[in-house]
């Protein structure tokens, strides 16, 4: 039996949200939060805890994947997630901004998502941001989990076209079992 589930977003809805976020205060950060959810499949907890060292390559540039460590994931479900082009572009922009604007920036410990006053944010703050953004656009039945459900749905469709399986999806989204 299915419980209440967040809605899956369409491409036009994703584009509309990104456009909406482009005119918000801290627009690049907000777009990164949204893209980490719908193009990276991250949970709110993971978005609030992800660090720059998990997305940079050995040269200190934004790499091609998110190396999500067990300590920031739910149930120690660390994983490697390929970086979507659109997410990578926004991460690169935010990375350059952070290196200049954040006096306490440390590639080894700094969180990607922070508030203006603190060097990190809470999972609840991420949940609240999503609720406000969806309300702003009048999206019904959407929550902080909608982006993750969108990512999983799209990933499942694409992987099946290239010979991937549900086990591949399971690994990329950090689920302990297939159900």
């Amino acid at each position: 039996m299915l419980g209440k589930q967040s809605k899956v977003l369409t491409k036009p809805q994703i584009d509309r949200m990104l456009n909406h976020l482009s005119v918000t205060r801290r627009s690049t950060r907000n777009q990164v939060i949204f893209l980490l959810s719908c193009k990276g499949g991250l949970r709110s907890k993971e978005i609030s805890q992800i660090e720059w060292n998990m997305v940079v390559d050995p040269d200190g540039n934004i790499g091609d994947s998110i190396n999500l460590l067990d300590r920031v994931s739910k149930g120690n479900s660390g994983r490697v997630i390929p970086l979507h082009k659109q997410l990578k572009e926004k991460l690169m922009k935010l990375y350059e901004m952070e290196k200049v604007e954040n006096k306490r920036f440390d590639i080894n410990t700094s969180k990607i998502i922070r508030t203006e006053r603190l060097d990190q944010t809470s999972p609840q703050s991420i949940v609240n941001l999503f609720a406000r953004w969806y309300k702003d656009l009048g999206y019904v039945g959407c929550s902080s989990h909608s982006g993750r459900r969108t990512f999983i749905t799209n990933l499942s469709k694409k992987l099946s076209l290239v010979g991937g399986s549900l086990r591949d999806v399971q690994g990329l989204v950090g689920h302990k079992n297939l159900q």
Side-chain angles (χ1 to χ4, degrees):
M1 181 166 147
L2 290 177
K4 182 179 170 189
Q5 292 189 332
S6 297
K7 301 283 173 128
V8 173
L9 302 169
T10 64
K11 182 173 180 350
Q13 290 166 332
I14 291 169
D15 292 342
R16 185 170 172 230
M17 178 61 78
L18 288 169
N19 188 50
H20 171 68
L21 295 175
S22 73
V23 295
T24 60
R25 198 163 155 240
R26 307 217 48 215
S27 60
T28 302
R29 181 206 67 168
N30 292 343
Q31 289 175 320
V32 166
I33 291 170
F34 182 70
L35 290 169
L36 283 168
S37 178
C38 69
K39 300 295 185 182
L42 272 59
R43 300 170 174 98
S44 294
K45 175 191 187 266
E46 295 165 341
I47 293 170
S48 71
Q49 297 298 308
I50 189 171
E51 299 166 357
W52 286 109
N53 62 31
M54 297 177 201
V55 297
V56 296
D57 64 20
D59 293 323
N61 300 311
I62 299 297
D64 294 322
S65 62
I66 299 170
N67 297 295
L68 198 66
L69 302 178
D70 285 348
R71 66 181 161 81
V72 303
S73 63
K74 179 181 174 187
N76 291 326
S77 60
R79 56 204 183 271
V80 176
I81 306 161
L83 263 182
H84 185 276
K85 178 184 170 188
Q86 197 173 18
L87 173 56
K88 183 174 180 173
E89 289 170 2
K90 291 296 177 185
L91 278 169
M92 289 168 57
K93 183 176 180 183
L94 185 61
Y95 184 50
E96 293 307 315
M97 291 168 57
E98 284 294 301
K99 289 192 293 185
V100 171
E101 296 171 8
N102 183 357
K103 292 177 181 27
R104 295 181 302 275
F105 181 82
D106 180 345
I107 190 68
N108 295 307
T109 60
S110 290
K111 307 276 192 240
I112 292 176
I113 306 302
R114 64 181 183 91
T115 69
E116 289 182 4
R117 293 181 201 98
L118 301 173
D119 289 330
Q120 61 185 19
T121 190
S122 69
Q124 188 61 52
S125 294
I126 300 297
V127 169
N128 295 346
L129 282 172
F130 277 108
R132 186 174 71 226
W133 297 336
Y134 290 130
K135 183 180 178 190
D136 288 348
L137 293 181
Y139 290 0
V140 178
C142 293
S143 74
S144 59
H145 209 66
S146 292
R148 182 170 163 79
R149 288 203 67 229
T150 301
F151 174 80
I152 293 168
T153 300
N154 292 336
L155 180 64
S156 299
K157 290 175 184 175
K158 289 177 183 170
L159 275 178
S160 68
L161 296 174
V162 295
S165 70
L166 286 179
R167 291 265 181 231
D168 297 318
V169 174
Q170 178 186 358
L172 285 169
V173 299
H175 283 168
K176 291 286 183 199
N177 65 54
L178 218 46
Q179 291 179 345

